[in-house]
Every structure is written in structure tokens, then in C-alpha cells.
């Protein structure tokens, strides 16, 4: 298994927290779920994170069975549509940047 994280690093614009959450939940999550081959889509807003977790206002995690499936999803029409909507939401509600991190299951298990 391999998980690709989109980490929203920065802050939600003042007074826009509820609108940001609604836009992500209603406009982005359905698009993310359309990425081909994914086995799981998880979204965690800042106030839902575990104690001691990094303070990102939003973390998106999409899990795939392998790198090949992930690569195909990143080249899909679903990804292209989601990038456009993500840009709109970031411009309207968010000050900061998005960066990505990929983690494979064997890294969680402590194997090389």
C-alpha cells in the first residue's frame, strides 16, 4: 500500500473556517474519491488531529495498492478536475501552500 498526502500548510483566512470546511467536504472530497484505483480517501481538518500531530489546517490522504496505480491516478482526468477546484478553494479560503508526501506501508512497519 502507498499513501499520498496533500498537506495544507498555512492558515484558513480569517472568518472563513466553516466555508473552507464546507468547500473541501462538498466540492473536493467527491472529486478525490474519483481518482482511479484508490482504496481509501481520508480528510483531516486541523481541529480533528491527534495530540502532537503537525498543525496543518487540512491533510488529505489517498491510499493506493501500489505506485503504478498512484501514478495512473495522478495522470487522470479526475486529478485534473480536482487540481482546478483545489486552486479555486485555496485562492478563496487559504493562505499558504500545499505540499505532498508519499509513504509506503513498509515504512510504517519499520522495514527498509
Amino acid at each position: 500500500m502507498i499513501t499520498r498526502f496533500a498537506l495544507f500548510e498555512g492558515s484558513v483566512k480569517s472568518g472563513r473556517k466553516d466555508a473552507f470546511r464546507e468547500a473541501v467536504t462538498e466540492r473536493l472530497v467527491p472529486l478525490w474519491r474519483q481518482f482511479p484505483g484508490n482504496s481509501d480517501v481520508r480528510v483531516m481538518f486541523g481541529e480533528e488531529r491527534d495530540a502532537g500531530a503537525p498543525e496543518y489546517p487540512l491533510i488529505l490522504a489517498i491510499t493506493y495498492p501500489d505506485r503504478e496505480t498512484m501514478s495512473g491516478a495522478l495522470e487522470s482526468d479526475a486529478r485534473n478536475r480536482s487540481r482546478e477546484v483545489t486552486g479555486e478553494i485555496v485562492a478563496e479560503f487559504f493562505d499558504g501552500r500545499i505540499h505532498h508526501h508519499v509513504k509506503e506501508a513498509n515504512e510504517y512497519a519499520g522495514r527498509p
Side-chain angles (χ1 to χ4, degrees):
M1 302 299 284
I2 183 164
T3 301
R4 188 168 193 266
F5 296 90
L7 307 172
F8 285 63
E9 185 175 41
S11 60
V12 178
K13 293 178 181 176
S14 180
R16 306 304 312 265
K17 188 175 183 178
D18 289 340
F20 174 69
R21 177 186 277 274
E22 182 178 330
V24 168
T25 302
E26 294 183 9
R27 293 170 51 198
L28 280 184
V29 171
L31 292 174
W32 290 331
R33 290 200 167 124
Q34 292 176 22
F35 281 31
N38 80 77
S39 60
D40 184 36
V41 174
R42 288 168 284 136
V43 176
M44 183 173 60
F45 292 94
E47 65 272 11
E48 300 168 346
R49 68 181 172 270
D50 295 333
E55 296 195 15
Y56 298 114
L58 175 67
I59 299 173
L60 156 70
I62 303 178
T63 300
Y64 301 94
D66 51 49
R67 281 188 176 271
E68 184 177 345
T69 303
M70 181 184 76
S71 294
L74 295 178
E75 296 172 5
S76 69
D77 288 340
R79 167 78 183 306
N80 293 333
R81 286 191 304 273
S82 77
R83 288 180 79 175
E84 183 177 315
V85 172
T86 299
E88 293 168 4
I89 289 172
V90 167
E92 185 174 352
F93 302 108
F94 194 72
D95 287 321
R97 69 185 187 112
I98 303 169
H99 56 102
H100 296 90
H101 174 71
V102 175
K103 192 113 175 149
E104 295 193 45
N106 62 0
E107 292 181 58
Y108 289 111
R111 286 175 271 177

